[in-house]
Amino acid sequence: MNETLTASTSPQSTSLRKRILTGDRPTGQLHLGHYVGSLRNRVALQHEYETYILIADVQALTDNFERPEILRRNIRQVVLDYLAVGLDPQKCAFVVQSLIPEIAELTIFYLNLVTLARVERNPTVKTEIQQKFGNEVPLGFVCYPVSQAADITAFGAHLVPVGDDQKPMIEQCREIVGRFNRLYGETLVMPEGMYGEISRLPGTDGQAKMGKSLGNAISLADDEATVTQKVMSMFTDPNRLTGKEPGTVEGNPVFTYHDAFNPNRERVEELKELYRRGGENEKGKPLLGDVQVKRELANVLNEMLEPIRTRRAEFARDETYVWDVIRDGTQRGKERAAEVMDDVRSAMKIDYGSVE
Ligand code: ATP
Ligand code: MG
């Protein structure tokens, strides 16, 4: 069974190290959700895996085709975020998707292996359609999971570190790989998803997911005052009006962030306990008000983000460095994708280009 193929027995695992493919849409600066959902894993794994990080501008066009300038502007910003969190361009190839035409070719081939009903069933796409389009849904958008399968397989990736919203995409990709290999012979590597410890960070507005395009994100590049202001205006327990009532910790994003980022576990437990209990002191003031919980969170976040901001500012000073890194990474990505494309064409017996 193709689905049970392990990475180590897959046909393209000729290089010594296994490969990672992951990426981001250049729709804005990266945020805390990316950090816990995917970036932390990438930084840890880059030493062990041959890593390709796709700056998915073609995918971002599916809901930004009317404003392509957004992508152009954000490619550099996203790469600055990569460098700032510690991704090493020697170890990771930063690849711009639109510069790899092999991905578009693969997408066309894969579209035949997926039914319309199947793409319409994708729960992440369904949610995003509601958020973004209503009834006028571009075909390109509905089909982006197929194009994402092409992203993953174009580099022969074994492992895909992503957030929880990407689970349906990994599933779709694995189905396509299985179908392709059954039809045309064992060619593509069967990828596995890898999910962060906190694989879906909620937004500051309490929505299920922090997203760049949703206006509810704390960016890695936000300055101290902005982080503090965003935290202070965060959604908490809507039933806790004065801070004296017992509050709810579960599903309260301020506590979710404390859990995700506060290294002082003891203090987090103490805060939770006080919050749940409620009550007032002898002066009639709340024992633990929302403001205090938020102030401590803002401090934790600012402390964590400070070295990231400093590194980001250092890399940003050099105008040409980031584009040099992108050009180099994209070249490496192109070489890898060309190898995979040759294998695919010959498996599908459409390798006429090499007919003598
Ligand atoms: P957009 O709103 O433009 O879709 P986004 O914030 O969803 O942007 P993407 O570029 O779509 O970011 O996602 C890049 C990666 O980050 C994916 O692996 C995704 O699962 C992960 N990710 C995004 N948001 C979160 C989140 N809130 N929590 C955990 N992981 C996340
Ligand atoms: Mg997204």
Side-chain angles (χ1 to χ4, degrees):
M1 288 281 289
N2 294 315
E3 273 78 5
T4 56
L5 248 183
T6 61
S8 57
T9 58
S10 298
Q12 284 165 13
S13 54
T14 42
S15 106
L16 286 178
R17 283 190 306 158
K18 287 188 185 165
R19 288 174 295 270
I20 279 181
L21 178 282
T22 180
D24 305 279
R25 296 151 34 99
T27 46
Q29 290 176 332
L30 299 187
H31 53 62
L32 292 177
H34 297 113
Y35 191 69
V36 282
S38 171
L39 292 172
R40 269 205 303 221
N41 274 342
R42 299 184 202 176
V43 172
L45 294 169
Q46 63 180 336
H47 310 287
E48 208 182 315
Y49 286 79
E50 189 177 310
T51 301
Y52 297 89
I53 298 187
L54 198 68
I55 303 152
D57 58 339
V58 177
Q59 186 183 116
L61 273 177
T62 61
D63 54 339
N64 289 283
F65 53 89
E66 288 167 311
R67 30 182 196 278
E69 65 285 353
I70 291 183
L71 317 180
R72 193 183 179 90
R73 195 167 60 234
N74 280 304
I75 289 175
R76 183 166 185 271
Q77 296 304 320
V78 165
V79 172
L80 281 171
D81 288 326
Y82 292 159
L83 295 167
V85 297
L87 289 172
D88 176 351
Q90 302 287 324
K91 299 205 157 83
C92 308
F94 303 145
V95 182
V96 175
Q97 189 183 23
S98 60
L99 296 176
I100 313 290
E102 287 82 357
I103 295 175
E105 281 182 74
L106 284 175
T107 304
I108 296 287
F109 298 152
Y110 294 169
L111 280 171
N112 299 324
L113 309 184
V114 183
T115 64
L116 184 57
R118 177 66 184 88
V119 286
E120 284 175 345
R121 251 196 340 262
N122 185 310
T124 299
V125 174
K126 270 192 193 165
T127 311
E128 291 176 336
I129 284 175
Q130 278 170 3
Q131 284 167 346
K132 294 173 186 180
F133 297 108
N135 290 330
E136 298 269 309
V137 192
L139 265 185
F141 189 81
V142 185
C143 295
Y144 90 73
V146 180
S147 152
Q148 200 165 315
D151 299 339
I152 294 169
T153 52
F155 302 94
H158 302 91
L159 196 66
V160 191
V162 280
D164 172 78
D165 62 317
Q166 297 302 308
K167 272 188 184 151
M169 315 307 167
I170 304 291
E171 216 27 66
Q172 175 76 84
C173 178
R174 289 173 58 86
E175 282 172 33
I176 291 173
V177 168
R179 186 104 200 266
F180 187 103
N181 286 348
R182 274 194 298 276
L183 270 171
Y184 304 119
E186 292 297 321
T187 311
L188 301 172
V189 175
M190 183 61 77
E192 305 272 350
M194 181 192 205
Y195 306 95
E197 214 175 299
I198 298 192
S199 58
R200 189 182 301 227
L201 192 74
T204 50
D205 57 356
Q207 275 200 60
K209 182 183 168 300
M210 178 179 283
K212 297 186 218 94
S213 318
L214 300 173
N216 63 3
I218 296 180
S219 301
L220 300 177
D222 279 346
D223 62 28
E224 193 174 330
T226 307
V227 171
T228 305
Q229 177 265 316
K230 285 184 179 174
V231 171
M232 295 321 276
S233 57
M234 267 179 84
F235 178 99
T236 57
D237 174 356
N239 299 319
R240 200 170 190 245
L241 302 176
T242 67
K244 296 177 193 169
E245 301 86 355
T248 306
V249 163
E250 288 69 30
N252 182 331
V254 177
F255 281 98
T256 309
Y257 288 20
H258 267 293
D259 279 333
F261 301 106
N262 194 337
N264 187 345
R265 311 313 306 167
E266 245 173 71
R267 179 61 184 154
V268 174
E269 289 315 308
E270 196 175 39
L271 287 173
K272 285 183 181 173
E273 153 82 32
L274 281 167
Y275 197 85
R276 284 195 184 105
R277 205 174 338 134
E280 57 189 276
N281 62 19
E282 58 284 357
K283 290 183 189 146
K285 294 264 187 303
L287 280 178
L288 179 67
D290 282 26
V291 170
Q292 177 64 21
V293 186
K294 289 179 174 179
R295 208 175 277 141
E296 292 189 32
L297 176 63
N299 288 343
V300 163
L301 293 179
N302 276 320
E303 210 164 290
M304 180 188 94
L305 292 173
E306 192 46 37
I308 297 178
R309 287 183 199 123
T310 309
R311 273 201 303 272
R312 198 178 198 284
E314 278 164 21
F315 285 116
R317 237 176 267 136
D318 188 337
E319 267 298 321
T320 56
Y321 177 72
V322 172
W323 284 106
D324 287 345
V325 160
I326 294 172
R327 255 188 301 276
D328 174 63
T330 300
Q331 184 53 35
R332 275 146 60 200
K334 228 179 140 37
E335 285 161 18
R336 182 83 262 281
E339 283 172 35
V340 172
M341 204 62 226
D342 281 349
D343 291 346
V344 163
R345 283 181 168 278
S346 91
M348 293 178 73
K349 307 204 180 347
I350 54 167
D351 49 345
Y352 326 119
S354 53
V355 172
E356 295 288 318

